[in-house]
Amino acid sequence: MTVEQIQQNVDFIKYLYENKDMRGLKDAINTYEAIEVVHILEELSPEERVIAYRFLQKDLALEVFEQLDPELQEQLLNSFSEVQAVKIIEEMETDDRVRLLDELPATVAERLVTKLSYEERMKTALLRGYEQETAGRVMTPDYLSLKKNMTVNEAIERVRTSDVDRDNLNTLYVTDASRVLLGIVDLQDLVIAKPDQTVGEIMNEDIVYAMTDHDQEMVARMLQEHDLIAIPVVDRERRLVGAITIDDVVDILEEEATEDFHKIGAVGKFKINFREARISFLVAKRIPWLLVLVFMNIFSGAGIAYFENTIEAVVALVFFLPLLIDSGGNAGSQSATMMVRALATGDVVFRDWFKLLFKEIGVAFSMGLIMALGVALIASFRAPEVLMIVSITMTLIVVVGSLIGMSLPFVLSRFNMDPAAASGPLVTSLADIAGVLIYFSIATWYLGIG
Amino acid sequence: MTVEQIQQNVDFIKYLYENKDMRGLKDAINTYEAIEVVHILEELSPEERVIAYRFLQKDLALEVFEQLDPELQEQLLNSFSEVQAVKIIEEMETDDRVRLLDELPATVAERLVTKLSYEERMKTALLRGYEQETAGRVMTPDYLSLKKNMTVNEAIERVRTSDVDRDNLNTLYVTDASRVLLGIVDLQDLVIAKPDQTVGEIMNEDIVYAMTDHDQEMVARMLQEHDLIAIPVVDRERRLVGAITIDDVVDILEEEATEDFHKIGAVGKFKINFREARISFLVAKRIPWLLVLVFMNIFSGAGIAYFENTIEAVVALVFFLPLLIDSGGNAGSQSATMMVRALATGDVVFRDWFKLLFKEIGVAFSMGLIMALGVALIASFRAPEVLMIVSITMTLIVVVGSLIGMSLPFVLSRFNMDPAAASGPLVTSLADIAGVLIYFSIATWYLGIG
């Protein structure tokens, strides 16, 4: 589906809506596939969205609802009667339901939960009992477990008659009478095995599993590293409580990458639908870091004030101020960004710091010399009297900026803080302060002022 | 496996190596699982790595080799005789082999390829015929195809006796006599179906598929969006040529996120093992943008030079220069980072620009006012004479910086360039130039100089 196709669909539905052709709208919206309807709904106004959604046939409506962003789910839910709302969330998969309930105002969520059937309420409570962003929270309680002494034929019969969602049948779990996890059987193992073998004979006992309180990103990396399509989640007694499937892993890694992206841009941590977000929400997420950086920058201002005499002696120094301090910040941003990503993907770990530090000095010094040549070229035309000062400063600033940028993520991770908090803007501000001090110190010394 | 466990394993192997206990090393290294050996090898020195690898038993050696980074694979290959090297790459999965061949020097790669068996050579040539980062390049030619008129029982027998890798058996493809793709059957459909039904009856004809020349990231998003665990790849005549499985998708999305990360940090596009990278390589990847930014900064320098009289009249203006221009750059970085990520994940598309622009003005203006208060507070202590100038400037600079940051990714995408090229440092430099002009223009006007 291309952007153009989506736009055509949206235009068509909007056209029917504007012409009040509700019959046509109902017919049209039901000809699309679920994912197409999702794209259309995302583009409609809230009023159009509610109307269009209500025209969907029951099965399609449910499928579409499951695939919508929680923000849009919430919006639609608000337009339903409580009976309708309960029916919809009752039909959702447990992990999707929990995600939606997290988004709803607590009172609304609780009222809806109490209306669910006993079984669904229990499943929901189970997942909601775990911390956000843990394996327990994102697992599905919908999996198929087998017993060790079953024959392969009996196991296949279990698969056939089970009401577990078919997407969760690729990996099957073997448990004992007290639900302790004993092994794993992939569906293809069942198909390939002889009908009279037992599950115990063909199961893989060498299991990779997650605990309920493991961090979701760590679990996602386990699946990725072992090329698995599902992983069992167990409690402290190694009893099976759920499973995490690869489609959730893709979403988790995507979400974590977005989080790191926002942090590196010095934006607060948040999940958002940009087109729906309120201005006040965006301001609240962005202003804190900006203010912190403003107050940090008092130090560069103070540094400049301290060197007022030097500046008054040679005003040409100021011409090169943005260029020099930016270069340190830019080199530092590069290092910080690379390290934050490498730490997040596990390509680099804390104990690599020392080794990488030496390499970074080599890299930064080489870059600093090249850039010193560049700035010397500029200075030779515009202000030859500061040529030596800016060249020496450039080399030093690039080295110092790079070292700040590459070290900060490691330092943060050492103190169990998120390395991604070493954002570009933070590194830039730190490099600025260092840059101002280096620049004017060298100038003062070189010009013999003091 | 925690970092501490890996370190223990590494220390143990290094200890055996240093004590020349080769017998112990051989015994020890073979007790680990493949993934553990991979982690150990990554930490060893090149010499230790070759020795340790050669002690691995055949099956384990192969499994380990497949999981290593291409850089380390290349290093190990160089230590083998050609006969050994050919044997190893002959045993690899085709898509992994192609990735390795891409990394090797062309002459070495060609020499190895000609030594492969006819069948493996053909499979390799097929994949290498496609552009890098396309579906054709990353697909596996190792899949199982069924015929429409087979019974379910016959199909299951095919699964049982096929030599297709078991991880590629979750999704099966139905083709006609000329290999044209007709439908898809999931393994669970086969298990659930009645034995005498035909494949044609149970297959899903409503197929999501990729073309060989589709971009890998687009294909990855298709699997993600449809919650698939495999997707068929077809040529222009809709003939089946391969399949892409979800484990590759996870790696592709990860790789693309890393690429965007590096771009946003103004680092060149590259895949790298940090611990192995040479200094010259890192410098070559990082210096181009830094130099571009240095020369862009000539404009801020020129702007300052133009306002030399204003600066000489009130040197206190310089105290606030880094603070003000950084604030514009920081707000711009925030917007750029958010937009780059939202464009990459598809949360936002080009036609949202206009709508988001108005919202951004609201957000930026609110933030600008708050930050103006902050800077006014600072100025009231340090330099009350410039209080009005810095407050007005702050508001304007934050708005202008934000608009540059949020618009640049859209502009780049309009011209079919990668939005991620709108890196933090680039936005910062543009915001700096704008900031200098705004600041000193306002100051000149306010102070009545000129």
Side-chain angles (χ1 to χ4, degrees), chain B residues 8 29 75 91 125 136 142-143 162 171 173 214 218 239 255 269 276 281 374 381 393 398 400 405 436:
Chain B
Q8 274 177 17
I29 194 89
Q75 217 183 77
E91 302 264 352
D142 187 43
Y143 56 85
S162 100
T171 306
Y173 306 94
H214 279 165
M218 197 197 101
R239 283 186 307 238
E255 206 181 298
K269 168 179 167 177
E276 304 289 323
F281 176 85
F381 285 107
T393 304
V398 170
V400 171
V436 164

Coordinates of all heavy atoms in Angstrom, one line a residue, chain B residues 8 29 75 91 125 136 142-143 162 171 173 214 218 239 255 269 276 281 374 381 393 398 400 405 436:
Chain B
Q8 N 33.6 -13.8 32.7 CA 34.2 -14.9 33.4 C 34.7 -16.0 32.3 O 35.8 -16.5 32.4 CB 33.2 -15.6 34.2 CG 33.1 -15.0 35.6 CD 32.0 -15.7 36.5 OE1 31.5 -16.8 36.1 NE2 31.6 -15.1 37.5
I29 N 36.4 -24.8 25.5 CA 35.7 -24.0 24.5 C 34.5 -24.9 23.9 O 33.5 -24.3 23.5 CB 36.6 -23.5 23.4 CG1 35.9 -22.4 22.5 CG2 37.1 -24.6 22.5 CD1 36.1 -21.1 23.0
Q75 N 38.1 -12.1 9.1 CA 39.4 -12.3 9.8 C 39.7 -13.8 9.9 O 40.9 -14.3 9.7 CB 39.3 -11.7 11.2 CG 40.5 -11.1 11.7 CD 40.2 -10.6 13.1 OE1 40.2 -11.3 14.1 NE2 40.0 -9.3 13.2
E91 N 28.8 -24.4 3.5 CA 27.9 -24.9 4.5 C 26.9 -23.8 5.0 O 25.9 -24.0 5.7 CB 28.6 -25.5 5.7 CG 29.5 -26.7 5.4 CD 28.8 -28.0 5.6 OE1 27.7 -28.0 6.1 OE2 29.4 -29.0 5.2
A125 N 24.7 -16.7 -6.8 CA 24.6 -15.8 -8.0 C 23.3 -15.1 -8.0 O 23.2 -13.9 -8.3 CB 24.9 -16.5 -9.3
G136 N 15.5 -8.8 -2.8 CA 16.3 -9.9 -3.4 C 17.6 -10.2 -2.7 O 17.9 -11.4 -2.7
D142 N 15.9 -20.6 0.3 CA 15.7 -21.9 1.0 C 14.2 -21.9 1.5 O 14.0 -21.5 2.7 CB 16.7 -22.1 2.1 CG 16.6 -23.5 2.7 OD1 16.5 -24.5 1.9 OD2 16.8 -23.6 3.9
Y143 N 13.3 -22.4 0.8 CA 11.9 -22.4 1.2 C 11.2 -23.6 0.6 O 11.8 -24.3 -0.3 CB 11.1 -21.1 0.7 CG 11.2 -21.0 -0.8 CD1 10.3 -21.6 -1.6 CD2 12.2 -20.2 -1.4 CE1 10.4 -21.5 -3.0 CE2 12.3 -20.1 -2.8 CZ 11.4 -20.8 -3.6 OH 11.4 -20.7 -4.9
S162 N 11.6 -32.9 3.5 CA 12.3 -31.8 2.8 C 13.6 -31.6 3.5 O 13.8 -31.8 4.7 CB 11.5 -30.6 2.7 OG 11.9 -29.7 3.7
T171 N 6.1 -21.2 7.3 CA 5.2 -20.7 6.2 C 5.6 -21.4 4.9 O 6.8 -21.5 4.6 CB 5.4 -19.2 6.0 OG1 5.2 -18.5 7.3 CG2 4.4 -18.6 5.0
Y173 N 4.7 -22.2 0.7 CA 4.2 -21.4 -0.5 C 3.7 -22.3 -1.6 O 4.2 -23.4 -1.8 CB 5.4 -20.6 -1.0 CG 6.0 -19.7 0.0 CD1 7.1 -20.2 0.8 CD2 5.4 -18.5 0.4 CE1 7.6 -19.4 1.8 CE2 5.9 -17.8 1.5 CZ 7.0 -18.2 2.2 OH 7.5 -17.5 3.2
H214 N 12.2 -4.4 -4.2 CA 11.7 -3.5 -3.1 C 12.8 -3.2 -2.1 O 13.6 -4.1 -1.8 CB 10.5 -4.2 -2.4 CG 9.2 -4.1 -3.1 ND1 8.1 -4.9 -2.8 CD2 8.8 -3.3 -4.1 CE1 7.1 -4.5 -3.6 NE2 7.5 -3.5 -4.4
M218 N 11.2 -1.2 3.6 CA 9.8 -1.2 3.3 C 9.2 -2.6 3.5 O 8.1 -2.8 4.1 CB 9.6 -0.8 1.8 CG 8.2 -0.4 1.5 SD 8.0 -0.4 -0.3 CE 7.2 -2.0 -0.5
R239 N 6.7 -14.9 -10.2 CA 7.3 -16.2 -9.9 C 8.0 -16.1 -8.6 O 8.8 -15.1 -8.3 CB 8.2 -16.6 -11.0 CG 7.5 -17.1 -12.3 CD 8.5 -17.7 -13.2 NE 9.6 -16.7 -13.5 CZ 9.9 -16.2 -14.7 NH1 9.2 -16.6 -15.8 NH2 10.8 -15.3 -14.8
E255 N 19.3 -2.4 11.9 CA 20.3 -1.8 11.1 C 19.9 -0.4 10.6 O 20.7 0.5 10.6 CB 20.5 -2.8 9.9 CG 21.8 -2.8 9.2 CD 21.8 -3.8 8.0 OE1 21.6 -5.0 8.3 OE2 21.9 -3.3 6.9
K269 N 27.1 7.0 7.0 CA 26.4 5.8 7.0 C 27.4 4.6 7.0 O 28.2 4.5 6.1 CB 25.5 5.7 5.8 CG 24.9 4.4 5.5 CD 24.0 4.5 4.2 CE 23.6 3.2 3.7 NZ 22.8 3.3 2.5
E276 N 36.8 -3.3 16.5 CA 37.7 -3.7 15.4 C 38.1 -2.6 14.5 O 39.0 -2.7 13.7 CB 37.1 -4.9 14.6 CG 36.7 -6.1 15.4 CD 37.9 -6.8 16.0 OE1 38.9 -6.9 15.3 OE2 37.8 -7.3 17.1
F281 N 39.5 4.6 9.4 CA 38.2 4.4 8.9 C 37.2 5.3 9.6 O 36.3 6.0 9.0 CB 37.8 2.9 9.2 CG 36.4 2.6 8.8 CD1 36.0 2.2 7.5 CD2 35.4 2.6 9.8 CE1 34.7 1.9 7.2 CE2 34.1 2.3 9.5 CZ 33.7 1.9 8.2
G374 N 13.4 32.7 31.6 CA 14.6 32.2 32.2 C 15.8 33.1 31.9 O 16.5 33.5 32.8
F381 N 20.3 39.8 36.8 CA 21.5 39.8 37.7 C 22.7 40.4 37.1 O 23.5 41.1 37.7 CB 21.7 38.4 38.2 CG 20.7 37.9 39.2 CD1 19.8 37.0 38.9 CD2 20.7 38.4 40.5 CE1 18.9 36.6 39.8 CE2 19.8 38.0 41.4 CZ 18.9 37.1 41.1
T393 N 15.0 38.3 21.7 CA 15.8 37.4 20.9 C 15.5 35.9 21.2 O 15.3 35.1 20.3 CB 17.3 37.6 21.1 OG1 17.6 39.0 20.8 CG2 18.1 36.8 20.1
V398 N 14.0 30.6 19.4 CA 13.4 29.3 19.6 C 12.4 29.0 18.6 O 12.4 27.8 18.0 CB 12.8 29.2 21.0 CG1 12.0 28.0 21.2 CG2 13.9 29.3 22.1
V400 N 12.3 30.2 15.4 CA 13.0 30.0 14.1 C 13.7 28.7 14.1 O 13.7 27.9 13.2 CB 13.9 31.2 13.8 CG1 14.8 30.9 12.6 CG2 13.1 32.5 13.6
G405 N 14.3 23.1 12.3 CA 14.4 21.7 12.7 C 13.3 20.8 12.2 O 13.5 19.7 11.8
V436 N 22.5 34.4 15.2 CA 23.4 35.5 15.2 C 22.8 36.8 14.5 O 22.8 37.9 15.0 CB 24.7 35.2 14.4 CG1 25.5 36.4 14.1 CG2 25.6 34.2 15.3

